């Protein structure tokens, strides 16, 4: 047995098995949590509602991330890539989200599979880079693998699995690896990998996490090098500083296209909401308990629902009990070992920095966070530093216990254990108030037993680690056998945590268009948009089906935001159900508001039980009330303009399924849905009926599934009293049942104005747009004079509109000079031509593009190309050339390797 455990082939077999299993778990996940995030099919928004509703369900951010990359990859593969993406919120640059290196997987996999592939590659890169860093500081293969697994499947990596946060975190050990190599061998060529890793992090486009990683890397470098300054080579600090400066210059060059484009995007977008949150957004020390067990405060995937403040993804910092115990062992052993003291101290400082900012906060924590600056996110994201430090020190701990000891080493081992025990005891005592806080919260939530039960694996992992360490100390097992046993324990615990978090969708939940999507596609003209109540359609998923949406969860320009506020001041506030990046259009929003004309909203979506727009003909007074558990009937006629809904006078004392049958013109319409409790109110039941002739008789019946749930008002003869909602205006109801879709017949993506008002302030300009009336619809609001006279109330004619990649073309005709307004956000990079000649662009209607066309027939064309694109690409390729020369041509020899 001992010979088998010491066989050199065993480590290779174990390593291959663990890596293959880890890759497979990252790839396929274990359920449907993330598939729920990515669902774009019709989904119920209540357990009692049938699944035919077009309400698209799931957390918004993961959907937005996936929905951005899948269509973009499709465009690249088909050769139709464009620099401008018109799908959301008036349009924005296609590469505003950067280009995370891992997301290249979208180019080679179908959309439903790509998130799993990207997550697997990201996890393996994180494992590999952490292992590489540990190898660079002298750790053996076994310890390196243990540290890599601990980091690759840490709470930060798994919790942010389909977010850009994890793309940056996966590269962080690579930065430490590159720094360590530069410290050991400070030649100029060492600046190249540092620059490459940081540039890749910048391209991943989540500045806050990148800055936290850079802050931790800087702390590591300072603590790592400081002990060598008094006695070391005096030229080394200068060499290291030169390497750092050159790395910074190279990084800027390698990231130049994104840095230039993203800074331009931030200047254009409304970011006024950032920095308005609390100065101290740390989680609190009690949430550090999640480092031991992921569901101690509840979890999204396993155990009780989250019952703490904030949410699981932001506040958890799961590392694994085995990882923490081994990290303590590595910390104690490293501080005792002179050859590893500076590295261990540097890692400890990185971890403490993460704890300070993410979980302790206070004046010192916020002061450290201020170095990063306001990035619009919680300080808890600094926990990436905790994951890096803990995983690396765990690797050191495994390496220490998996190494062969000489007889004199056992005293050092004993000293390291004592120091680790002391540090662990101090930390445990310090956490006692947090444990008390957790217990009170768990008892109040009734989850004490469940939280303890789901932490069983953590307890077992600790016992297993202690058993292996005791066996190693007593020489019951060989060093390599002890090492591989520890690797297996770490792998089991972290993968047990990661397994319930899936990364791909099931076949039944893959993105596909519903019949309602098809109706919207057919009804919208090019350039027109969808909008409506709440999340009747989720903008990020409608973009998959070539449906542009006026909403969308993304940064938008100030003028566009002010147009939303002109409709409803609370639309972008949490109090109104929205956020600064995602507007929530209320149930009572007026679809006739001129703002929707400016946004080219051609289809207005409402929830199926909402009241369709139109003239309300109230039901007459009904002196009698009947229980609808027995079918009740009534009669009404189609009003002038057609029928959009029949209206009941009902009371619903308790929720129930209600079935309404409408017979008109030889057609039968059946509506069955869950109705919530309500006092007496007018209940509309919508149907597509504007084509029925005025006066056509309508027979209506209503029935509830349970007794004493629904009461309807009736006349003395026993017939239900009914009203109606009539059509006959500039709108047309084109779908009912699963969702209400109203076509705004006057919508147009390109409009002509002969009269203008000059107003540069977005707030006032948006208010003027919203205040347009039917008597003066042809007055545009522009940010500067355009040479048009005011008071003329006749515009030109838009004869043809053609949309193509990065361009819009309109043939226009007018007896006078006029302003042609395109419902496209005025973003730097758009240019205009009239009959092939350059023309000036103005901001019209608070945010859109306006171009003056002279009298007569003309062709107005817009084209988009990012500004300074050629310059930024030239800088990028020159930097690549310089970096290549630096790497293959060392400039001065190393000053000698430093001690570890």
């Amino acid at each position: 047995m001992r010979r088998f455990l010491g066989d050199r082939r065993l480590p290779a077999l174990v390593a291959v098995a663990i890596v293959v299993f880890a890759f497979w778990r990252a790839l396929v996940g274990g359920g449907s949590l993330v598939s729920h995030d990515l669902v774009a099919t019709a989904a119920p928004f209540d357990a009692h509602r049938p699944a035919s509703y077009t309400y698209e369900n799931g957390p918004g951010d993961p959907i937005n991330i996936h929905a951005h990359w899948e269509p973009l990859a499709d465009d690249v593969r088909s050769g139709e890539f464009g620099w401008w993406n018109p799908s959301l919120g008036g349009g924005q640059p296609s590469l505003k989200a950067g280009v995370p290196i891992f997301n290249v997987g979208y180019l080679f996999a179908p959309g439903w599979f790509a998130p799993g592939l990207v997550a697997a590659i990201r996890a393996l890169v994180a494992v590999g880079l952490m292992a590489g860093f540990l190898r660079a500081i002298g750790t053996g293969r076994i310890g390196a693998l243990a540290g890599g697994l601990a980091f690759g499947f840490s709470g930060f990596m798994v919790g942010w699995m389909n977010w850009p946060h994890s793309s940056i975190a996966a590269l962080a050990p690579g930065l430490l690896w590159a720094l360590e190599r530069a410290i050991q061998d400070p030649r100029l060529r060492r600046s190249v990998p540092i620059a490459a890793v940081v540039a890749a992090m910048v391209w991943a486009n989540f500045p806050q996490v990148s800055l936290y990683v850079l802050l931790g890397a800087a702390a590591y470098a300072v603590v790592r090098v400081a002990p060598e300054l008094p006695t070391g080579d005096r030229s080394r600090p200068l060499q290291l500083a030169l390497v750092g400066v050159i790395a910074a210059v190279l990084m800027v060059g390698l990231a130049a296209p994104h840095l230039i484009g993203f800074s331009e995007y931030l200047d254009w977008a409304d970011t006024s909401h950032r920095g308005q949150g609390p100065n101290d957004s740390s989680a609190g020390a009690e949430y550090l308990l999640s480092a031991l067990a992921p569901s101690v405060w509840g979890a999204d995937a396993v155990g009780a629902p989250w019952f703490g403040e904030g949410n699981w993804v932001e506040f958890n910092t799961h590392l694994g009990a085995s990882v923490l115990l081994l990290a303590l062992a590595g910390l104690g052993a490293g501080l005792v070992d002179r050859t590893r003291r500076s590295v261990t101290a540097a890692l400890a400082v990185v971890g403490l920095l993460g704890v300070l900012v993410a979980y302790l906060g206070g004046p010192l924590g916020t002061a450290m966070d201020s170095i990063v600056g306001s990035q619009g996110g919680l300080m808890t994201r600094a926990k990436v530093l905790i994951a890096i430090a803990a995983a690396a020190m765990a690797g050191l701990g495994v390496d220490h216990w998996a190494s062969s000891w000489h007889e004199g080493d056992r005293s050092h081992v004993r000293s390291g254990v004592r120091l680790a025990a002391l540090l662990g005891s101090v930390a445990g005592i310090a956490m006692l108030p947090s444990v008390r806080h957790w217990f009170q919260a768990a008892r109040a939530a009734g989850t004490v037993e469940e939280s303890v039960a789901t932490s069983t694996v953590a307890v077992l992992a600790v016992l297993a680690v202690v058993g292996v360490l005791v066996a190693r100390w007593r020489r019951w097992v060989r060093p390599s056998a002890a090492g591989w046993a520890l690797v297996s324990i770490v792998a089991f615990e972290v993968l047990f945590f990661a397994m319930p978090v899936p990364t791909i969708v099931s076949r039944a939940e893959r993105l596909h268009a519903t019949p309602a999507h098809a109706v919207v596609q057919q009804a919208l003209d090019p350039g027109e948009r969808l909008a409506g109540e709440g999340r009747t359609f989720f903008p990020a998923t409608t973009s998959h089906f070539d449906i542009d949406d006026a909403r969308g969860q993304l940064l938008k320009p100030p003028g566009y935001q002010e147009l939303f506020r002109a409709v409803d001041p609370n639309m972008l506030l949490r109090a109104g159900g929205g956020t600064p990046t995602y507007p929530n259009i209320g149930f009572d929003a007026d679809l006739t508001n001129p703002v929707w004309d400016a946004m080219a909203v051609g289809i207005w979506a409402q929830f199926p039980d909402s009241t369709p727009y139109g003239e309300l003909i109230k039901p007459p007074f009904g002196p009698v009330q009947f229980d609808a558990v027995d079918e009740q009937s009534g009669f009404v006629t189609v009003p002038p303009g057609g029928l959009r809904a029949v209206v009941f006078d009902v009371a619903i004392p308790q929720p129930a399924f209600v079935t309404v049958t409408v017979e008109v013109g030889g057609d039968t319409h059946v509506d069955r849905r869950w109705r919530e409790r309500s006092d007496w109110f007018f209940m509309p039941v919508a149907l597509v009926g504007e084509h029925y002739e005025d006066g056509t008789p309508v027979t209506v019946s209503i029935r509830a599934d349970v007794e004493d749930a629904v009461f309807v008002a009736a006349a003395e003869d026993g017939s239900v009293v009914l009203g109606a909602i009539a059509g006959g205006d500039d709108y047309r109801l084109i779908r009912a049942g699963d969702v209400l879709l109203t076509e705004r017949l006057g919508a147009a993506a390109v409009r002509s104005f002969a009269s203008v008002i000059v107003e540069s302030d977005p707030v006032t300009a948006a208010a003027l747009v919203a205040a347009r009336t039917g008597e003066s619809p042809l007055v545009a609001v522009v940010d500067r004079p355009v040479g048009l006279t005011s008071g003329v109330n006749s515009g030109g004619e838009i004869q043809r509109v053609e949309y193509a990649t990065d361009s819009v073309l309109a043939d226009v005709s007018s007896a006078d000079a006029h302003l042609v307004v395109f419902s496209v956000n005025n973003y730097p990079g758009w240019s205009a031509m009239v009959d092939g000649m350059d023309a000036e662009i103005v901001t019209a209607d608070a945010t859109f593009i306006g171009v003056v066309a002279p009298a007569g027939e003309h062709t107005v064309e817009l084209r988009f190309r990012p500004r300074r694109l050629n310059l930024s690409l030239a800088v990028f390729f020159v930097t690549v050339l310089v970096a290549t020369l630096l790497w293959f041509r060392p400039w001065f020899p190393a000053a000698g390797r430093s001690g570890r």
Side-chain angles (χ1 to χ4, degrees):
M1 183 67 177
R2 178 173 294 184
R3 179 179 299 178
F4 174 71
L5 291 176
D7 191 337
R8 293 183 178 180
R9 292 172 294 181
L10 179 63
L13 293 174
V14 174
V16 170
I18 290 174
V19 171
V20 169
F21 181 72
F23 182 86
W24 176 71
R25 291 313 310 171
L27 186 65
V28 303
S32 61
L33 177 66
V34 178
S35 68
H36 174 70
D37 289 347
L38 302 180
V39 67
T41 58
F45 52 84
D46 189 286
H48 298 287
R49 298 179 184 269
S52 60
Y53 288 100
T54 311
Y55 182 92
E56 292 162 335
N57 202 5
D61 287 335
I63 295 177
N64 289 332
I65 294 166
H66 173 74
H68 173 77
W69 290 107
E70 184 184 4
L72 187 63
D74 289 341
D75 290 342
V76 171
R77 285 194 297 264
S78 64
E80 297 179 356
F81 170 77
W83 297 106
W84 184 256
N85 179 2
S87 61
L88 298 175
Q92 67 281 317
S94 296
L95 297 183
K96 66 178 181 61
V99 184
I101 187 171
F102 304 107
N103 287 37
V104 174
Y106 274 90
L107 293 173
F108 307 105
W112 61 268
F113 188 75
L117 178 62
V118 169
I121 295 173
R122 187 189 294 120
L124 284 182
V125 168
V127 171
L129 290 179
M130 177 58 77
F133 165 64
L134 288 170
R135 293 286 287 160
I137 60 176
T139 304
R141 292 184 177 88
I142 299 177
L145 179 59
L149 289 171
F151 179 69
F153 294 95
S154 63
F156 192 94
M157 289 296 299
V158 174
W160 294 109
M161 183 173 289
N162 282 317
W163 304 59
H165 310 51
S166 58
S167 293
I168 295 166
L171 297 169
L175 176 58
L176 294 183
W177 186 0
L179 279 174
E180 183 62 34
R181 295 295 292 153
I183 292 170
Q184 298 174 12
D185 179 21
R187 288 179 290 176
L188 292 188
R189 66 180 305 199
R190 296 301 176 189
S191 63
V192 175
I194 296 174
V197 173
V198 177
M201 291 165 55
V202 171
W203 275 101
N205 196 45
F206 204 90
Q208 185 186 29
V209 177
S210 296
L211 290 171
Y212 281 139
V213 170
L214 290 174
L215 180 63
Y220 175 87
V222 170
V223 178
R224 174 74 175 84
V225 174
E228 301 178 7
L229 294 181
T231 58
D233 184 354
R234 294 184 178 181
S235 65
R236 286 178 57 79
L238 294 178
Q239 293 175 353
L240 288 172
L242 184 58
V243 168
V245 170
I246 293 177
V249 173
L250 291 176
M251 181 278 295
V252 171
L254 292 174
H258 175 65
L259 287 173
I260 292 174
F262 189 64
S263 62
E264 191 172 66
Y265 176 68
L266 290 180
D267 289 341
W268 169 81
D270 180 9
T271 58
S272 59
H273 62 281
R274 296 191 170 187
Q276 294 180 358
N279 291 329
D280 188 350
S281 59
S282 58
E286 59 271 21
Y287 295 101
L288 281 170
L289 294 173
S290 63
L292 290 166
S295 55
V296 67
W297 282 97
D300 293 347
V302 175
W306 176 263
F307 59 90
E309 299 176 1
N311 60 67
W312 180 84
V313 174
E314 290 281 10
F315 278 35
N316 104 86
T317 184
H318 181 248
L319 301 168
S322 61
V323 173
L324 282 175
L325 184 56
L326 290 168
L328 270 175
L331 179 61
L335 293 178
V336 169
D337 185 353
R338 292 182 179 180
T339 63
R340 285 184 173 174
R341 187 171 296 165
S342 65
V343 168
T344 306
L347 290 172
V349 169
V350 171
L352 289 174
L353 185 61
V355 171
L356 177 64
V357 175
Y359 290 96
L360 299 184
L364 185 57
T366 52
M368 296 302 299
D369 183 65
S370 66
I371 298 175
V372 173
S374 175
Q375 301 294 324
L378 299 181
M379 291 164 59
T380 53
R381 293 164 189 176
K383 64 187 179 181
V384 62
L385 302 180
I386 305 175
I388 294 169
M393 286 191 291
L396 290 175
V398 171
D399 182 67
H400 179 69
W401 286 85
S403 301
S404 298
W405 300 332
H406 300 293
E407 197 59 38
D409 292 337
R410 295 179 71 83
S411 61
H412 291 89
V413 174
R414 189 180 292 109
S415 298
V417 171
R418 290 172 179 171
L419 180 57
L422 175 63
L423 294 174
S425 299
V426 171
I429 294 172
M431 288 298 295
L432 287 177
S434 296
V435 174
R436 181 172 177 271
H437 184 169
W438 165 81
F439 181 76
Q440 292 173 342
R443 186 171 59 181
T447 61
V448 174
E449 292 184 1
E450 188 172 6
S451 296
V452 172
T454 54
S455 303
T456 303
V457 170
V459 175
L460 294 176
V462 168
L463 294 177
V465 169
V466 171
V468 172
L469 297 186
V470 170
R472 170 70 182 93
W473 175 256
R474 294 185 176 274
R475 299 188 178 95
W476 294 343
V477 295
R478 292 187 178 185
S480 61
W484 288 112
L486 294 174
V487 169
S488 300
I489 295 168
V490 169
F492 174 80
E493 185 179 10
V494 296
L495 289 174
F496 186 88
F497 158 60
M499 281 170 62
V501 182
T503 54
I504 64 172
V505 298
S506 65
R507 182 176 297 277
E509 294 181 306
R510 295 175 191 169
L511 293 169
H512 66 271
T514 65
H517 286 101
V519 172
V520 175
Q521 284 177 314
Q522 186 175 4
L524 286 178
D525 290 332
E528 292 182 358
R529 300 187 177 94
L530 169 71
E533 298 173 346
R535 295 187 179 183
T536 41
F537 288 86
F538 193 65
T541 50
T542 55
S543 65
H544 281 269
F545 315 123
D546 296 324
I547 298 173
D548 297 345
D549 200 297
R551 301 162 295 176
Q553 188 170 353
L554 71 165
L555 295 175
K556 306 174 186 71
Y560 204 94
Q561 298 287 75
E562 293 304 331
L563 287 174
F564 280 129
R565 293 189 181 100
V567 176
D568 179 2
N570 294 320
M571 192 179 296
L572 300 174
L573 302 177
R574 295 191 182 277
T579 69
T581 57
Y582 186 81
N584 182 59
I585 300 176
F587 291 90
D588 55 350
D590 181 8
L591 68 82
T592 69
N593 194 300
V595 165
W596 311 127
D597 296 326
M599 292 185 176
V601 174
I603 296 293
W604 186 265
Q606 295 175 275
F607 291 107
D609 48 5
S610 293
T611 301
Y613 179 77
E615 179 186 357
L616 173 63
I617 303 171
K618 297 181 179 180
F621 173 71
V624 183
Q625 295 86 40
F626 291 110
D627 189 338
V629 69
D630 299 318
E631 185 173 274
Q632 306 295 326
S633 300
F635 305 92
V636 72
T637 59
V638 174
L643 183 65
R644 288 183 184 157
V646 294
V647 181
F648 294 87
D649 190 2
V650 302
I652 306 178
Q654 58 178 316
F657 276 107
V658 179
T659 302
V660 175
T661 304
V662 181
E663 297 180 359
V664 54
D667 301 324
T668 300
H669 304 265
V670 179
D671 181 275
R672 174 178 168 80
R673 70 181 72 254
W674 183 258
R675 297 284 182 176
E676 299 292 347
R677 183 189 180 283
S678 177
D679 294 327
W680 286 97
F681 75 109
F682 292 142
M683 184 183 78
V685 177
L687 70 154
V688 178
E690 293 181 60
H691 58 286
Y692 296 122
E693 293 184 4
D694 178 13
T696 301
V698 183
T699 303
V700 183
S701 64
I702 182 172
R703 182 176 60 82
D705 280 8
V706 295
E707 189 175 3
D708 296 330
V710 179
F711 293 88
V712 294
E716 292 184 354
D717 63 1
S719 62
V720 175
V721 293
L722 295 167
I725 294 179
D729 45 33
D730 294 332
Y731 309 92
R732 184 165 62 96
L733 185 67
I734 60 175
R735 187 175 180 85
D738 54 355
V739 65
L740 304 187
L741 298 177
T742 300
E743 186 175 7
R744 305 179 76 255
L745 300 175
V750 182
R751 295 163 296 146
S752 172
F753 296 85
S755 182
V756 300
I757 299 174
V758 179
E759 178 54 65
S760 59
D761 177 52
V763 177
T764 307
L768 290 171
V769 172
R772 288 174 181 157
T773 64
E775 288 73 30
S776 58
L778 301 179
V779 178
V781 183
V782 294
D783 64 337
R784 58 184 182 273
V786 294
L788 298 180
T789 59
S790 60
V792 179
N793 197 28
S794 61
E797 178 183 355
I798 308 299
Q799 298 175 330
R800 180 176 69 98
V801 177
E802 181 179 307
Y803 282 79
T805 302
D806 293 339
S807 69
V808 186
L809 181 145
D811 291 334
V812 300
S813 176
S814 176
D816 303 298
H818 58 126
L819 183 74
V820 181
V821 176
F822 296 81
S823 190
V824 175
N825 278 326
N826 188 7
Y827 186 88
W830 279 107
S831 60
M833 293 184 294
V834 177
D835 297 332
M837 303 294 292
D838 290 341
E840 183 182 11
I841 287 178
V842 296
T843 299
D845 288 353
T847 187
F848 301 115
I849 292 177
V851 180
V852 174
E857 296 184 353
H858 302 280
T859 297
V860 182
E861 184 176 6
L862 301 180
R863 292 181 180 176
F864 181 76
R865 181 176 175 82
R867 293 194 308 180
R868 294 183 285 274
L869 177 62
N870 292 339
L871 174 62
S872 63
L873 290 177
V875 170
F876 172 80
F877 287 114
V878 168
T879 305
V880 170
L881 177 61
V882 172
T884 303
L885 293 175
L886 275 176
W887 180 251
F888 289 103
R889 182 182 174 83
W891 285 68
F892 52 79
R897 293 182 177 271
S898 71
R900 297 190 181 95

